[in-house]
Amino acid sequence: MYHFLILLLGCVLCSCKDITASIRLVEDATVTLELTNTASYGVALLRWNLPLDDRFESDTFRVLYQGNEVEYIGARVKYDGPFVNDYVFFFPNETKEYTIRLENSYDFSQPGDYDVVFVADVLDHETDGAFHSLPHIQGSFVPLSGVISNSLMFSTPKGLVQKIVRAEYTCSSSENTQINNAYTAEKQMIGYAQTKINAGQSTDFTTWMGAWDTTRYNHVRDVIGRVRTNTIFAPRCDDTAGVYAFVYPTDTQHRVYFCAAFWKAPNAGGYDTKAGTIIHELSHFNRIGSTQDYVYGTTGARNLASSNPARATHNADNFEYFCESQW
């Protein structure tokens, strides 16, 4: 066991009125996160991209090493649904605890001083008077923004390494055929998208990327260009339900883990297709686009383009839908 110096700084802060968060160090870089519903009524939180979904890592902490932000090395996930079991239900005044090994999500390879704070935006929530309306469709999400914990400061004399074991399995002949067909369609689709973006301003750009801006346009064009010329693609199969696919953005082998929802999607034509999913996942890799998952779904992507173009041009679904629109 490594020895840490722990200093609690500040207090629990939260811009939402119902959920508060606090963290404490357990050992190594393992922390306990406590989420508390302070309301007098029940609250349901969508677990996507949060530690509430223990199937994946989540980019919900801000980690500083000697004052510099530490790279996220965990998964980025394209979800299907949501479904009722994607929500975590809190009774009034209930606290739930989650244990998180931060070295699986962030680069703790260097010894030294780290500052950690939990900072999360909940994509969707509901209160108990309307639990019957769950699951919400993606276009009607009710987010909670800015769930922020206390800060932790600790020192480690030895670097820590990521320890993740994925339950992938050997792809079947049928699955390999579907992946190959999707990859062929993806190459056509990204070619159409490159032609479109190289032509300059368009209604498709405005729809999916927001108001015209030369800097944002150049960024989108460059990311699409890197997806188009990318030749590194290592498909894997995974049986996780309610998920299309996921990747690890720092993975230079560009392994894409295809999950249960992928096999049900159309190959191409429309939205949330197999070919589009490949574009979505490739855009996540740091060598290509370093895209995020700020929102999901066509409605969310259109709304993001309208309200926050800077985020839209860094959101994986926005890239996917721009490309799928060219098919």
Side-chain angles (χ1 to χ4, degrees):
M1 181 187 302
Y2 307 122
H3 298 287
F4 290 87
L5 172 66
I6 309 170
L7 177 63
L8 291 177
L9 301 174
C11 59
V12 176
L13 302 173
C14 185
S15 64
C16 60
K17 65 180 181 178
D18 296 336
I19 302 298
T20 61
S22 65
I23 55 175
R24 67 177 185 273
L25 191 68
V26 178
E27 61 179 2
D28 301 342
T30 299
V31 300
T32 295
L33 167 68
E34 290 186 353
L35 293 177
T36 300
N37 174 23
T38 61
S40 59
Y41 44 81
V43 174
L45 305 181
L46 181 63
R47 63 177 177 166
W48 291 0
N49 297 334
L50 295 173
L52 285 65
D53 186 352
D54 59 5
R55 300 171 299 173
F56 300 104
E57 307 74 42
S58 61
D59 191 8
T60 50
F61 290 82
R62 291 297 169 263
V63 182
L64 300 181
Y65 172 69
Q66 297 181 350
N68 298 310
E69 189 161 1
V70 170
E71 183 176 33
Y72 176 68
I73 59 175
R76 297 216 183 275
V77 184
K78 178 175 170 65
Y79 288 96
D80 184 26
F83 307 97
V84 170
N85 61 3
D86 286 320
Y87 292 83
V88 177
F89 295 83
F90 289 75
F91 290 111
N93 300 308
E94 181 182 10
T95 296
K96 294 182 185 291
E97 289 191 359
Y98 302 89
T99 301
I100 301 118
R101 296 183 60 130
L102 290 174
E103 73 270 23
N104 287 340
S105 300
Y106 299 93
D107 182 2
F108 274 81
S109 60
Q110 298 300 316
D113 298 331
Y114 289 89
D115 295 278
V116 177
V117 62
F118 176 79
V119 182
D121 293 332
V122 181
L123 288 172
D124 187 33
H125 86 290
E126 188 54 88
T127 56
D128 59 10
F131 281 171
H132 63 276
S133 68
L134 296 176
H136 293 158
I137 62 173
Q138 291 182 9
S140 63
F141 279 177
V142 183
L144 286 176
S145 298
V147 182
I148 306 173
S149 76
N150 56 290
S151 298
L152 286 177
M153 180 185 294
F154 56 83
S155 297
T156 173
K158 184 176 181 179
L160 304 173
V161 297
Q162 188 181 46
K163 298 175 183 177
I164 297 174
V165 178
R166 292 251 59 106
E168 63 182 86
Y169 62 87
T170 301
C171 300
S172 69
S173 175
S174 171
E175 288 168 340
N176 278 323
T177 297
Q178 291 180 69
I179 292 169
N180 290 336
N181 289 342
Y183 191 54
T184 298
E186 179 269 336
K187 285 301 181 186
Q188 291 180 273
M189 185 180 289
I190 198 65
Y192 298 153
Q194 187 175 44
T195 298
K196 186 71 170 183
I197 197 68
N198 286 346
Q201 297 188 45
S202 67
T203 55
D204 285 337
F205 183 91
T206 303
T207 298
W208 300 114
M209 302 298 174
W212 178 263
D213 174 86
T214 301
T215 300
R216 290 196 295 269
Y217 163 76
N218 289 339
H219 168 73
V220 172
R221 182 195 60 196
D222 291 348
V223 172
I224 288 175
R226 287 192 290 271
V227 175
R228 176 72 178 84
T229 59
N230 174 69
T231 58
I232 305 172
F233 176 61
R236 298 288 189 272
C237 289
D238 183 285
D239 61 359
T240 304
V243 171
Y244 285 93
F246 63 90
V247 299
Y248 289 85
T250 57
D251 180 10
T252 57
Q253 296 183 46
H254 291 182
R255 282 167 287 206
V256 179
Y257 297 83
F258 295 105
C259 301
F262 180 81
W263 314 115
K264 301 182 297 181
N267 192 55
Y271 297 112
D272 295 311
T273 64
K274 289 186 176 74
T277 295
I278 294 176
I279 291 171
H280 176 119
E281 298 305 324
L282 290 177
S283 78
H284 279 315
F285 289 114
N286 291 348
R287 288 183 170 184
I288 295 177
S290 297
T291 57
Q292 310 288 310
D293 290 312
Y294 294 121
V295 300
Y296 292 97
T298 53
T299 299
R302 287 191 182 97
N303 291 342
L304 188 65
S306 176
S307 64
N308 195 334
R311 279 201 163 191
T313 53
H314 289 82
N315 190 64
D317 261 1
N318 288 70
F319 275 93
E320 175 180 342
Y321 298 146
F322 176 86
C323 295
E324 287 175 327
S325 296
Q326 313 314 313
W327 187 260

